[in-house]
Amino acid sequence: MSGIDKLTKKGIQNIPAYIPGRTAESVKEKYKLDKVLKLASNENQYGVSPKAVEAMVKAATEANIYPDPFCIQLRKKIGKKFGFDDSGDNVIISQGGCGIISLLGEVFITEGDEMIYCDPTFGAYGGACKRNGGVVVRVPVTEDQLYDLDGIYKAITEKTKMIFICNPNNPTGTAVDSEALKAFIHKVPKNIIVVVDEAYIEFATDPKVKSMVSEISDDVNLIIIKTFSKLYGMAGVRVGYSLMNKELHGVLQKATTVFVAGRIALAGVMAAMDDEEFVTSTIEGIRQGREYITKELSLLGWKVWESHTNFLYADSGYQTAALANELEKYGLIIRGNFDYSRITIGTMEQNKDMIAIIKKVIEEGNVPKKE
Ligand SMILES: Cc1ncc(COP(=O)(O)O)c(C=O)c1O
């Protein structure tokens, strides 16, 4: 024993190591399968924008040169898209949405600070809080699997430093009404930072589900997180961004890693932003897939919550983990480690294959029902 634990920050000592989800390769090998359909990580199954690929290939020839240290060109382009001035000083670029979540913990959370969010939600929030000695306050989602804004408001104490709202929420796919969220943002005491994670919001086609970017002003400590990983199909490239007022930006930009995004990544995401065709067809494909899967699973007697994302959350009536394990034997990976099943929406062909596998597994009758 080297006693390295004693040298490590207390927040780090107490957190468990991250356990990644199963890969298609490991499931293929385990069950000796030729084909595995992985619909477990909410990746974009429509691929990557061809324009982005072309730009990345071109940029690869200049990989010997450092990229723009502060991503200013991308920040300006994003700022302009969302109606800010052309300084880029309302935009932080990070290594995926996960990067800004970590940065927020590092910059704002100190020993004993409380962070409130609903449960279940995206796992990264809790890690960012605990690594920095903060205390997580979890408020259960409502019976409708919605973020409980009233519950969060009631949980505020004088130690509350930050509130995370995942909208639409991962893993439930549900989204809160935008008027209610707007009212919540303006009601929260001004000394609290409100973070709205909109990683999936572009998939929402319901007019009641709106981005909160319009609520950013000097009067609110509001940060909106977005990512190129989902709609733009660039999860492997690792670029996320967040929007906020200039004061918050000034603090976070100082703490951001210099050269946070590489040359290839920057070229790729900037080209992807201009590929309207890819974006529109992805949104339409997801909308159709969402309808199709919801209908098919409902016919099987599953309860499917209304999703505003590229995945669905559903109660099959079977034991969730056992169902996911059994599906893997037939070459389908979904997420089975929440209360209910979370399934990523794929291309129509994948969706049909997925439904066929689910039907087969249920017919086989090897999955125990819930008590
Ligand atoms: C709600 C939510 N926020 C943020 C992210 C971060 O994604 P990335 O780091 O790939 O941008 C994810 C990824 O699954 C997510 O589900």
Side-chain angles (χ1 to χ4, degrees):
M1 279 291 155
S2 63
I4 201 73
D5 244 19
K6 289 203 185 88
L7 301 177
T8 311
K9 282 180 173 178
K10 232 169 48 200
I12 308 278
Q13 280 176 25
N14 299 333
I15 51 166
Y18 178 70
I19 303 168
R22 259 167 282 218
T23 61
E25 284 68 32
S26 66
V27 171
K28 242 187 220 175
E29 203 180 302
K30 186 169 174 193
Y31 297 111
K32 309 281 171 258
L33 298 165
D34 293 331
K35 195 175 144 196
V36 165
L37 183 53
K38 182 174 170 251
L39 296 176
S41 300
N42 304 338
E43 289 147 337
N44 187 335
Q45 300 296 328
Y46 288 88
V48 193
S49 143
K51 287 186 180 158
V53 174
E54 195 187 325
M56 288 191 283
V57 168
K58 193 159 165 257
T61 61
E62 293 166 356
N64 56 317
I65 309 295
Y66 278 109
D68 173 351
F70 304 114
C71 311
I72 189 71
Q73 231 188 314
L74 176 61
R75 279 167 44 205
K76 282 173 185 272
K77 191 173 172 77
I78 293 171
K80 196 168 156 206
K81 177 178 169 184
F82 288 96
F84 295 101
D85 65 32
D86 64 1
S87 64
D89 290 346
N90 297 88
V91 185
I92 293 284
I93 305 299
S94 51
Q95 203 204 21
C98 289
I100 185 75
I101 295 165
S102 285
L103 186 69
L104 289 172
E106 193 188 312
V107 169
F108 293 115
I109 301 292
T110 52
E111 204 71 32
D113 283 345
E114 291 176 0
M115 177 193 283
I116 317 176
Y117 52 80
C118 273
D119 185 38
T121 197
F122 187 46
Y125 312 148
C129 179
K130 290 184 220 155
R131 282 197 298 277
N132 294 288
V135 177
V136 168
V137 178
R138 287 189 190 85
V139 174
V141 289
T142 66
E143 251 182 56
D144 296 334
Q145 304 295 327
L146 282 165
Y147 243 71
D148 181 0
L149 299 180
D150 289 339
I152 291 181
Y153 190 76
K154 283 187 195 128
I156 291 173
T157 71
E158 55 201 33
K159 291 190 183 152
T160 306
K161 177 71 76 69
M162 197 175 286
I163 293 172
F164 265 91
I165 310 283
C166 191
N167 198 54
N169 186 32
N170 174 11
T172 62
T174 55
V176 289
D177 177 89
S178 44
E179 288 309 312
L181 184 51
K182 223 183 256 184
F184 173 87
I185 287 168
H186 295 288
K187 188 165 84 163
V188 166
K190 302 286 177 254
N191 59 334
I192 296 172
I193 298 162
V194 178
V195 187
V196 182
D197 183 345
E198 296 186 350
Y200 299 97
I201 203 148
E202 294 89 353
F203 296 115
T205 46
D206 181 341
K208 286 206 203 90
V209 181
K210 287 195 202 120
S211 169
M212 289 296 119
V213 172
S214 56
E215 299 314 297
I216 292 172
S217 78
D218 292 343
D219 300 329
V220 278
N221 289 322
L222 175 64
I223 296 172
I224 310 289
I225 297 181
K226 292 182 177 276
T227 179
F228 285 98
S229 295
K230 309 295 176 182
L231 172 63
Y232 292 98
M234 302 184 82
V237 173
R238 312 303 306 130
V239 182
Y241 60 99
S242 37
L243 302 153
M244 64 208 68
N245 66 35
K246 288 198 166 70
E247 198 181 355
L248 273 166
H249 180 271
V251 173
L252 287 165
Q253 188 62 46
K254 270 200 298 192
T256 300
T257 312
V258 183
F259 303 120
V260 68
R263 205 166 254 284
I264 299 171
L266 288 171
V269 299
M270 280 196 278
M273 280 178 78
D274 293 333
D275 194 345
E276 271 302 316
E277 204 184 317
F278 179 80
V279 163
T280 315
S281 66
T282 294
I283 294 173
E284 181 51 21
I286 293 299
R287 194 193 61 74
Q288 285 177 16
R290 208 157 53 196
E291 256 178 48
Y292 167 76
I293 304 167
T294 303
K295 190 179 102 216
E296 291 293 325
L297 294 181
S298 304
L299 285 172
L300 291 175
W302 294 27
K303 164 140 185 72
V304 185
W305 283 278
E306 189 184 7
S307 167
H308 302 272
T309 62
N310 67 342
F311 58 88
L312 289 153
Y313 197 52
D315 182 3
S316 64
Y318 295 93
Q319 289 181 19
T320 307
L323 174 65
N325 287 337
E326 196 62 21
L327 289 170
E328 278 184 13
K329 294 182 193 165
Y330 292 77
L332 172 64
I333 312 178
I334 63 164
R335 281 295 286 268
N337 60 334
F338 301 110
D339 283 351
Y340 305 110
S341 305
R342 195 194 71 187
I343 309 169
T344 300
I345 298 164
T347 60
M348 210 33 115
E349 193 189 336
Q350 291 174 326
N351 297 335
K352 287 186 177 158
D353 287 351
M354 176 241 291
I355 293 293
I357 295 172
I358 288 176
K359 281 184 177 164
K360 195 164 174 191
V361 162
I362 285 172
E363 267 167 36
E364 301 270 321
N366 294 326
V367 188
K369 286 256 185 197
K370 273 192 186 140
E371 312 271 285

